[in-house]
Amino acid sequence: MLVSKSRLCALLLACSALAAIPAAAQTSAPAATAPETVRFGTWGVDLDTRDLSVKPGDDFQRYALGKWLDATEIPADQGSAGVGYDTYNRNQERLRSIIMSAPKDSQLGALYGSWMDEARLEQLDSKPLQADLDRVAAIRTKAEFTRHMAATLSDFGSTLFALGVVPDLNNPTVNTLFVGTSGLGLPDRDYYLLDKFKKEREAYRAYIGRTLAMVGTPDSAAAADSILAFETEIAKLSWDKTDRRDIKKLNNPMTEAELKAYAPGIDWTSYLQAANVAGIVPQIIVSDNTAVKALAALYEKTPLETLKAWERFNTVDQAANYLSKRFVDSKFEYSKTLSGVKELRPRWRRGIDQVDARLGELLGQTYVERFFPASSKAMMEELVANLKKAAAVRIKGNGWMGPPTKAAALEKLDKMQVMVGYPEKFRDYSKLELKADDLYGNIKRSIAFDHAYDLADLGKPVDKKKWGMSPATVNAYNAGLENKIVFPAGILQAPYFDPKADPAVNYGAIGAVIGHEIMHGFDDKGRKIDATGAVRDWWTKEDAARYTALTDALGKQYSAYEAAPGVFINGEFTMGENIGDMSGLEVAYDAYKMSLGGRQAPVVDGLTGDQRFFLAFAQAWRSKQRDDSIKTQVASDPHSPARYRIIGPLRNLDAWYAAFGIGADSKFYIAPDQRVRIW
């Protein structure tokens, strides 16, 4: 499938504030009524979760949340439990109330109805797949396979070469074409190459064989072996995840003629023509260029039958969730190995996810009308403005940065656009045909619809008003190539944001999220992009060297954290998110102090304003996670696990030490001259 702009953002830049929330669930469907707003305590923090037997400096997560951690059991159908999941689950109930009140023949009603019609899906079983599998079986030559891969950009199936529409890294006012490698079924190349992922490899191999057997593939076990061997060869040539984070390394513009000469193992003319992207833009951004070249060579020498088996598996795998129960259960059986989840979510919750994924702005339009008042939008915009002011003060006062670099940083901050709640113009879905009795067809048509939507921007001016998340999403992001930050309405609710909460709580919770997104513009990738969104070095050599020394020190701190038994955080891979967390919290704290206007914050429940600020910050990252889920996150997600999104930033902030009287005898104490201060 064509890589969407939001997906490209994740590939090219560290975007989101929260790690992606996988599927969450309840054991039974609630009535289709919207839940009430949730608030902890009288002013926004649940003090009953604290474990006061623990010193704040020894383990601030347990000090703030220890009783909750001890009492909480992760639901069998979740990889973790906590604030993020709770908010997400509450939003699903809100979305369900909208969908259930929509006419059954409306787009919302038809898509959800087709998902919930399990009897029809059982009756059809694998029949919807057959035409797609027949097309794979009919391929006779590499030339035909090349064209088929291009067709999967807008359909079920997979391609070895990802394509997407993205702002030109060198001229960000215009959308260009992105080309990169694809083809791996496991979360990261390391899963194929390292012994510690043997369990996951074996589960994946079993799933491939099981999937092929389910659709009548002869000698499915041998085919599974060939597919895993083929993907292992792809993994060997793939870039390491830390290299894929380097925006300068990804900036490899080529003409179509240059791409053909550089990576001749595939007929690029045929591939680009079949994908309907040939000749539209003067240059293509070839991201992981050496891997693209090596993959083209691998493609050239790989037997057609291996490629067809790989494509057959991928077609069934991508379609599995839209087929009968045996396909759904088989895929879930494999996924349990990665997440540690014990049970599949109820079908209604999975259906809500699908409607939000396919009709996000249509569903979101009603969501914001019902659940996001104009007063919340105005208050949030004021908070963001205050955070930007605080960020400007920090940049101006930065002691290690010279005047020219400061001026460029302030220009970037000033030009950073802010979008809150929902887009100015909602997307039009009127041409997407959805039928209440055709789930498989609905998803295929939706994939093609999204492909055409993205492709329509190729070669045209960048429309910065378009969003990469639906309004109901519990997350936020920084689109670095557009120099904008986006805060969907879905995350703008308690305990992240509450108009009636203590200001210290809002600044400590959503303020830290806002600061995180602002400071992504100045993390180790964002700093390589200028105020216009172009990839350009706007730093002096001396400032760049000082910055690198600071980030190296921060990386060493995070690489020493053991997130699960034997699982250590990769400080280099998570660098951008860690900078966002730490610098964002600093900016949020400064903005909170500025909001007091020189007055002393009142003491509430025996807690100072600063203490309430840091408790709210910890509460926003309240999470308990399965070890298997942590292992997968550390291997493939640039966000650190929640525990170290609390501890990691705090132990570098002087104000945290002062707020709780933390001294050198504390476990997480860092001497003042060893604390990392980047922004």
Side-chain angles (χ1 to χ4, degrees):
M1 293 176 284
L2 187 81
V3 183
S4 69
K5 284 187 176 179
S6 59
R7 172 63 177 151
L8 283 175
C9 185
L11 288 171
L12 297 174
L13 293 173
C15 303
S16 59
L18 281 63
I21 298 175
Q26 267 181 209
T27 55
S28 60
T33 56
E36 297 299 318
T37 299
V38 173
R39 178 177 303 116
F40 292 136
T42 58
W43 48 270
V45 167
D46 184 358
L47 297 181
D48 292 336
T49 66
R50 293 178 299 168
D51 181 352
L52 298 181
S53 69
V54 178
K55 293 168 57 178
D58 284 346
D59 188 337
F60 196 74
Q61 184 196 40
R62 285 209 58 85
Y63 170 78
L65 309 168
K67 288 186 177 180
W68 178 87
L69 289 167
D70 292 339
T72 297
E73 291 188 12
I74 302 172
D77 48 12
Q78 295 181 192
S80 66
V83 163
Y85 263 110
D86 292 344
T87 308
Y88 169 77
N89 285 338
R90 186 162 63 248
N91 258 14
Q92 279 206 315
E93 294 164 14
R94 288 176 166 180
L95 294 175
R96 185 173 184 267
S97 72
I98 296 169
I99 293 168
M100 296 302 288
S101 64
K104 293 186 182 300
D105 61 352
S106 67
Q107 287 179 304
L108 294 176
L111 180 56
Y112 187 69
S114 70
W115 176 271
M116 295 302 294
D117 192 352
E118 294 181 85
R120 178 163 177 76
L121 295 176
E122 291 305 309
Q123 180 185 29
L124 291 171
D125 194 40
S126 64
K127 289 179 183 177
L129 263 177
Q130 198 55 52
D132 287 328
L133 295 181
D134 288 346
R135 276 190 287 275
V136 177
I139 295 172
R140 295 290 179 262
T141 67
K142 279 280 185 75
E144 291 178 4
F145 192 86
T146 297
R147 290 191 290 272
H148 179 85
M149 281 201 302
T152 67
L153 293 164
S154 59
D155 206 340
F156 290 131
S158 191
T159 176
L160 298 172
F161 301 96
L163 299 181
V165 181
V166 65
D168 190 327
L169 277 64
N170 306 292
N171 178 20
T173 62
V174 177
N175 286 304
T176 192
L177 185 68
F178 157 97
V179 173
T181 58
S182 186
L184 298 180
L186 285 164
D188 182 71
R189 69 190 293 267
D190 287 352
Y191 280 75
Y192 296 87
L193 307 178
L194 302 182
D195 289 343
K196 65 181 179 180
F197 295 112
K198 182 180 179 181
K199 178 186 73 171
E200 290 82 0
R201 275 197 306 276
E202 290 176 347
Y204 181 52
R205 158 62 183 78
Y207 171 57
I208 297 172
R210 191 167 62 242
T211 300
L212 293 175
M214 289 170 70
V215 293
T217 306
D219 202 353
S220 57
D225 288 338
S226 69
I227 291 169
L228 185 58
F230 175 53
E231 291 190 7
T232 301
E233 292 304 309
I234 298 174
K236 289 177 182 177
L237 60 84
S238 298
W239 283 14
D240 182 79
K241 55 183 169 283
T242 55
D243 288 326
R244 296 196 305 271
R245 289 194 63 256
D246 191 329
I247 190 71
K248 293 184 75 174
K249 289 183 179 179
L250 297 173
N251 187 17
N252 304 297
M254 297 184 190
T255 64
E256 288 184 19
E258 288 170 336
L259 175 59
K260 294 170 190 175
Y262 178 74
I266 181 174
D267 182 353
W268 288 104
T269 299
S270 179
Y271 187 71
L272 297 175
Q273 286 178 348
N276 297 315
V277 296
I280 298 177
V281 294
Q283 285 189 323
I284 300 168
I285 302 297
V286 184
S287 61
D288 46 344
N289 57 347
T290 56
V292 169
K293 182 176 183 176
L295 184 55
L298 176 63
Y299 175 66
E300 185 176 35
K301 71 178 185 181
T302 300
L304 180 61
E305 288 309 308
T306 299
L307 294 170
K308 289 175 65 175
W310 174 81
E311 190 64 80
R312 184 177 178 85
F313 162 69
N314 275 285
T315 300
V316 183
D317 173 57
Q318 290 188 14
N321 288 333
Y322 318 113
L323 298 170
S324 60
K325 187 175 184 296
R326 68 187 183 108
F327 287 94
V328 175
D329 288 349
S330 176
K331 185 166 186 172
F332 175 68
E333 184 65 26
Y334 155 64
S335 70
K336 289 193 298 186
T337 310
L338 301 177
S339 66
V341 171
K342 308 301 181 184
E343 295 177 4
L344 185 64
R345 290 182 309 145
R347 189 165 187 89
W348 77 267
R349 283 197 177 276
R350 289 179 278 136
I352 299 301
D353 283 344
Q354 285 296 321
V355 177
D356 190 36
R358 308 294 169 184
L359 299 169
E361 291 191 21
L362 179 63
L363 185 58
Q365 191 166 1
T366 304
Y367 177 89
V368 297
E369 289 171 357
R370 293 190 187 181
F371 305 115
F372 190 63
S375 58
S376 290
K377 181 178 173 68
M379 184 175 176
M380 181 66 183
E381 288 173 337
E382 181 180 355
L383 273 171
V384 177
N386 291 344
L387 266 290
K388 285 185 71 175
K389 290 177 184 176
V393 171
R394 291 195 71 86
I395 292 171
K396 290 175 183 176
N398 193 311
W400 56 264
M401 180 179 284
T405 314
K406 279 186 183 181
L410 290 167
E411 179 189 11
K412 181 172 184 177
L413 178 66
D414 182 63
K415 291 184 176 179
M416 186 178 288
Q417 294 189 38
V418 179
M419 300 178 182
V420 172
Y422 48 88
E424 291 181 5
K425 181 180 179 181
F426 288 94
R427 184 177 169 187
D428 180 9
Y429 295 88
S430 60
K431 293 183 180 179
L432 174 58
E433 182 184 19
L434 298 171
K435 302 177 182 179
D437 62 351
D438 186 17
L439 176 61
Y440 193 86
N442 286 343
I443 301 302
K444 283 174 70 75
R445 287 186 290 274
S446 176
I447 293 170
F449 182 77
D450 286 341
H451 171 88
Y453 180 76
D454 285 342
L455 208 59
D457 286 339
L458 187 59
K460 295 180 181 177
V462 173
D463 182 357
K464 294 186 179 182
K465 301 300 182 183
K466 285 188 175 182
W467 280 39
M469 288 180 177
S470 72
T473 301
V474 184
N475 214 328
Y477 71 98
N478 178 311
L481 298 177
E482 300 176 54
N483 196 20
K484 71 180 182 185
I485 51 178
V486 180
F487 304 95
I491 196 175
L492 303 180
Q493 55 181 299
Y496 297 109
F497 170 71
D498 183 353
K500 297 181 180 180
D502 172 28
V505 174
N506 278 330
Y507 277 98
I510 197 63
V513 174
I514 296 168
H516 176 104
E517 298 307 341
I518 290 173
M519 300 314 291
H520 261 319
F522 309 95
D523 68 18
D524 63 323
K525 288 196 291 187
R527 78 168 191 87
K528 298 173 183 176
I529 302 171
D530 69 13
T532 71
V535 176
R536 183 177 67 82
D537 189 356
W538 43 272
W539 292 62
T540 66
K541 284 186 178 181
E542 295 77 14
D543 288 344
R546 286 188 283 265
Y547 183 93
T548 300
L550 292 169
T551 58
D552 286 348
L554 186 66
K556 288 179 181 178
Q557 284 185 16
Y558 277 84
S559 291
Y561 297 142
E562 188 176 16
V567 179
F568 287 84
I569 295 173
N570 182 331
E572 185 178 359
F573 177 51
T574 57
M575 181 66 71
E577 298 300 333
N578 298 337
I579 293 171
D581 285 345
M582 187 177 74
S583 300
L585 182 61
E586 291 176 314
V587 167
Y589 176 78
D590 285 0
Y592 169 59
K593 302 301 281 189
M594 290 167 60
S595 75
L596 296 174
R599 301 182 301 276
Q600 192 74 20
V603 174
V604 179
D605 285 340
L607 297 166
T608 66
D610 282 15
Q611 290 172 331
R612 299 196 302 277
F613 173 90
F614 289 118
L615 284 170
F617 171 71
Q619 180 176 265
W621 291 114
R622 188 171 78 182
S623 178
K624 187 174 184 178
Q625 193 170 358
R626 299 183 191 277
D627 285 350
D628 282 340
S629 179
I630 291 174
K631 183 179 179 182
T632 299
Q633 180 179 345
V634 169
S636 59
D637 190 324
H639 301 82
S640 295
R643 170 171 170 79
Y644 294 100
R645 299 190 75 172
I646 298 172
I647 293 171
L650 288 177
R651 60 196 303 241
N652 288 292
L653 268 65
D654 296 342
W656 175 67
Y657 289 86
F660 294 95
I662 296 169
D665 60 337
S666 296
K667 177 180 176 181
F668 284 106
Y669 176 85
I670 299 177
D673 62 344
Q674 296 299 309
R675 294 169 197 167
V676 178
R677 299 176 174 90
I678 300 177
W679 293 106

